[in-house]
Amino acid sequence: MRLLPADLPERAALSLEVHARPSEPLAAPGRASYAAVLVDADERERELAHLARLCRTHGQAPPAADAVHWSGLIGGLRLKWERHGEFSSYTLLMAARATAPFVDSAAANLPPGWLAGVPGMTVYAGHAELLQAEDAPALPDLQQQFFAGNAVVGSAVGDGAGLAYSDFLIHPDGFGRMLLVDQGLTPLMAGRMLQRLFEIEAYRMMALLAFPVARRLSPRILAIERALAGLTDDIARDGGRDEKLLHELTRLAAEVESGLSASQFRFGACRAYAELVRTRIGELRERRLSGLQTIDEFMGRRFTPAVATCATVSQRMHDLSERVAQASHLLSTRVDIAREHQNHALLASMDRRAKMQLRLQQTVEGLSIAAIVYYMAGVVGYVAKGGRSLGAPLDVDLFVGLSVPVLALLAFNAVRKARRRARENEAV
């Protein structure tokens, strides 16, 4: 008998999510290569087909159409593919051979041209060497042998279970270089540590995609701020150019919103990736090595200021949008008040004209009563003359004279009734 209610449809998938994308183990001595490739949405199918061809060539089942990660053996390599939000990563692991460091790399053991044929653009690529503690040279020799004499950043990681070194530079082959020395790492710990080191660089590069955007926007923001300051001064002076000022503010608002819509996704991604970098650095559990900067310190000096610049530019854009909106609202309110005064004056003028028209209408009505009486008296005169011609003893002039007051009263009553009916129709 079932002891629980029905499962949430997503329960199984959500439960497995925390176990997805496990790290691949690597024992010392070993080598690894990593590539993060920025892939557009319309290239996702090509990417999957490219990986599927490699799998079939080496007798491996290809990833499913909706897969977001896959791992398997490709010859003597273990290949791990992961699809992230904007980029895909390829991790290659192999046992080390008796060759010079970074010469016989894991990536070099892929079929010729396969990695170069991956759809998209490279964001980060790196090689890593995993050495046993007794095989690691002293720091001066390590710099020459592994990093071409460049300045090295390093620390004890995993609470001292390993030593991690890098110069964080792109070498002539297009790859960065990392060295991990095993001082007690298990193969799974070593695999996780290498993945963290690679991801620090991949996420750092993805975060820094916002930095050129911030640089391009900075002069534009400065120009808009100056223009807004000038418009605000004009608003304060009340020079009678409100309509023109409102047009200029509308143009500035459109320009600010255009900049926001074009940059905010990138700035939001910068914040998210920067947080991932900080998280991965924290997971290294670093301890200082004498004479070397830790990875955390290096990122704090070189990476954090760039992220802060992007955050500042993003905030300036939002603040500028609010300031333009406030200035537009202020000016719109003043324009509306001015228009209300104009409308009030127009209505007063229309009221005066209506009163004048009413007086004129009343005058015309009086004249119309006189005209009606005049024409009606004429009709009465013709009737009286007709009656006298028939032999009636009528004094025509007297009869017409006596009819004039009656006709005037009848005409006045008729006009008054017509005016009353007109008022009643207006009220309806």
Side-chain angles (χ1 to χ4, degrees):
M1 184 178 71
R2 185 179 176 88
L3 299 179
L4 295 172
D7 282 347
L8 184 75
E10 300 86 0
R11 181 188 176 191
L14 295 176
S15 177
L16 292 174
E17 182 63 26
V18 295
H19 303 287
R21 308 184 185 192
S23 301
E24 298 292 335
L26 182 64
R31 286 177 178 168
S33 295
Y34 179 92
V37 181
L38 193 64
V39 184
D40 291 335
D42 56 357
E43 293 180 319
R44 294 293 194 182
E45 291 185 4
R46 286 181 52 215
E47 175 195 35
L48 205 58
H50 188 68
L51 179 59
R53 285 193 294 270
L54 179 67
C55 294
R56 285 191 289 267
T57 300
H58 291 82
Q60 295 287 329
D66 59 347
V68 293
H69 61 90
W70 178 89
S71 64
L73 291 174
I74 304 296
L77 297 172
R78 175 164 287 278
L79 169 61
K80 179 184 178 183
W81 166 77
E82 293 182 89
R83 176 174 288 175
H84 304 267
E86 293 184 85
F87 69 96
S88 295
S89 64
Y90 298 83
T91 307
L92 303 160
L93 305 170
M94 61 177 285
R97 298 170 183 170
T99 57
F102 303 113
V103 174
D104 183 28
S105 65
N109 286 269
L110 282 170
W114 185 87
L115 189 57
V118 170
M121 303 183 70
T122 302
V123 177
Y124 168 73
H127 295 313
E129 294 277 343
L130 175 60
L131 299 181
Q132 294 175 335
E134 57 270 19
D135 297 330
L139 182 59
D141 296 331
L142 181 147
Q143 286 181 276
Q144 292 298 326
Q145 293 179 27
F146 291 86
F147 301 104
N150 300 317
V152 170
V153 175
S155 62
V157 295
D159 294 327
L163 304 176
Y165 302 93
S166 180
D167 57 2
F168 293 103
L169 294 173
I170 299 176
H171 288 259
D173 60 354
F175 287 80
R177 294 182 179 182
M178 292 185 180
L179 173 63
L180 182 62
V181 179
D182 180 3
Q183 294 192 140
L185 295 168
T186 65
L188 189 57
M189 289 175 61
R192 283 200 302 266
M193 202 61 67
L194 285 174
Q195 181 175 339
R196 289 166 185 159
L197 291 170
F198 284 138
E199 287 180 348
I200 287 171
E201 279 292 83
Y203 292 140
R204 177 177 73 94
M205 292 297 294
M206 291 299 299
L208 289 179
L209 290 179
F211 192 56
V213 178
R215 280 181 166 175
R216 288 195 302 269
L217 282 177
S218 291
R220 185 177 175 186
I221 292 173
L222 183 60
I224 295 174
E225 286 175 339
R226 289 175 177 173
L228 179 60
L231 290 174
T232 305
D233 288 342
D234 289 342
I235 293 172
R237 285 196 293 268
D238 191 10
R241 299 187 305 116
D242 290 352
E243 295 287 348
K244 184 178 180 181
L245 291 175
L246 190 59
H247 175 74
E248 288 296 317
L249 280 173
T250 303
R251 183 188 63 79
L252 282 183
E255 190 172 354
V256 171
E257 293 304 318
S258 173
L260 279 171
S261 62
S263 63
Q264 288 313 294
F265 170 77
R266 195 72 267 156
F267 287 144
C270 175
R271 291 190 294 271
Y273 287 125
E275 182 60 31
L276 286 172
V277 170
R278 287 188 284 269
T279 300
R280 294 297 184 270
I281 291 176
E283 290 171 352
L284 293 178
R285 304 191 307 279
E286 289 187 282
R287 293 179 183 174
R288 178 179 300 279
L289 295 178
S290 178
L292 292 180
Q293 276 187 314
T294 64
I295 296 174
D296 189 19
E297 287 176 338
F298 178 83
M299 293 297 174
R301 291 185 58 189
R302 308 297 176 89
F303 172 65
T304 303
V307 173
T309 298
C310 296
T312 300
V313 171
S314 176
Q315 188 60 47
R316 284 177 67 189
M317 289 290 290
H318 284 288
D319 292 344
L320 194 55
S321 177
E322 292 180 1
R323 288 166 55 196
V324 171
Q326 289 173 356
S328 298
H329 178 70
L330 176 64
L331 189 57
S332 296
T333 302
R334 196 165 77 184
V335 169
D336 290 342
I337 292 173
R339 286 175 178 170
E340 287 179 3
H341 286 309
Q342 292 174 356
N343 292 337
H344 180 73
L346 180 61
L347 290 174
S349 175
M350 292 174 63
D351 185 57
R352 288 194 300 270
R353 291 180 182 179
K355 290 180 179 179
M356 291 177 62
Q357 289 177 352
L358 179 61
R359 287 195 294 269
L360 180 61
Q361 180 181 353
Q362 291 172 346
T363 303
V364 171
E365 287 176 356
L367 294 175
S368 65
I369 291 173
I372 291 171
V373 171
Y374 174 78
Y375 286 110
M376 291 295 292
V379 172
V380 170
Y382 285 119
V383 171
K385 288 178 181 179
R388 189 177 62 180
S389 298
L390 292 174
L394 292 175
D395 185 341
V396 174
D397 293 336
L398 178 62
F399 189 79
V400 171
L402 292 174
S403 67
V404 167
V406 177
L407 294 174
L409 181 60
L410 292 174
F412 178 77
N413 286 333
V415 170
R416 187 174 62 179
K417 289 180 180 179
R419 189 187 303 164
R420 186 167 56 248
R421 284 196 300 270
R423 284 198 296 266
E424 290 174 354
N425 292 334
E426 289 180 358
V428 173

